[in-house]
Amino acid sequence: MNVSEKRATTSLHQNQTYKRLKKARTCYQHLAGNIGTFFFDFFLESGILKKEAQDFILTQLGVQFFQQLGLDIAQIQMEKGTFIRPCMDWTERKFHLAGNLGKHFLFFLIGHGYLVHDIETRALLISEEGEKFLKENFGKFE
């Protein structure tokens, strides 16, 4: 991130692609961009996640939250890999949620049609159902 050179945007298409990537995209198998950092901040502010020393943990409130969405937290915790990990977002310069929990949360959003893959890039588009879901469950979202 810090060593790559900045390139000028030379076309309207590049500018539109950047805006879509900045708003929502996949980062490996988790949600990134403005929406990804929005959720990470929301999870911390609402007590779903808690920072302890250098780690982030899922609180009991968090377990209930994700289980209400239909995620099997016990099963996710048993999967190979890290359960919760912050990942620095290259457009927002803030963290988004990575690890197995982040992966399953992304799969939930895509599986319910709230986010849709852009066929040309790794950008994710927020569907009409997704807009409704975000407003009803998370309040204001830009």
Side-chain angles (χ1 to χ4, degrees):
M1 255 185 334
N2 293 328
V3 295
S4 60
E5 68 180 75
K6 291 189 176 200
R7 296 182 192 160
T9 301
T10 59
S11 72
L12 178 61
H13 177 71
Q14 280 182 333
N15 187 42
Q16 291 171 336
T17 298
Y18 174 76
K19 286 181 180 178
R20 286 193 309 268
L21 288 169
K22 182 174 172 45
K23 185 169 185 175
R25 70 181 177 282
T26 57
C27 177
Y28 298 95
Q29 291 187 322
H30 53 268
L31 179 61
N34 179 261
I35 192 171
T37 60
F38 165 82
F39 277 120
F40 193 79
D41 290 345
F42 175 85
F43 295 154
L44 286 171
E45 291 166 9
S46 63
I48 291 169
L49 294 179
K50 181 179 173 186
K51 185 169 184 187
E52 286 191 356
Q54 299 300 316
D55 297 320
F56 290 88
I57 63 163
L58 185 65
T59 65
Q60 187 57 43
L61 176 67
V63 170
Q64 293 170 356
F65 171 82
F66 285 109
Q67 285 179 335
Q68 286 176 345
L69 295 179
L71 277 67
D72 185 343
I73 296 301
Q75 181 64 38
I76 296 169
Q77 288 175 318
M78 291 189 305
E79 291 180 6
K80 183 178 178 182
T82 305
F83 177 56
I84 295 175
R85 183 176 62 79
C87 182
M88 180 60 70
D89 195 279
W90 64 267
T91 59
E92 303 303 305
R93 301 290 188 198
K94 297 169 40 178
F95 290 120
H96 57 253
L97 179 63
N100 291 332
L101 183 60
K103 174 178 73 173
H104 283 278
F105 183 59
L106 173 63
F107 292 170
F108 162 81
L109 294 169
I110 292 171
H112 282 79
Y114 301 141
L115 296 177
V116 180
H117 285 280
D118 177 5
I119 59 171
E120 295 180 3
T121 66
R122 55 191 180 103
L124 296 165
L125 308 173
I126 303 172
S127 68
E128 192 173 309
E129 296 86 12
E131 292 282 349
K132 184 178 177 183
F133 172 78
L134 289 170
K135 287 178 183 169
E136 289 176 357
N137 295 285
F138 302 98
K140 184 182 176 202
F141 180 78
E142 51 183 78

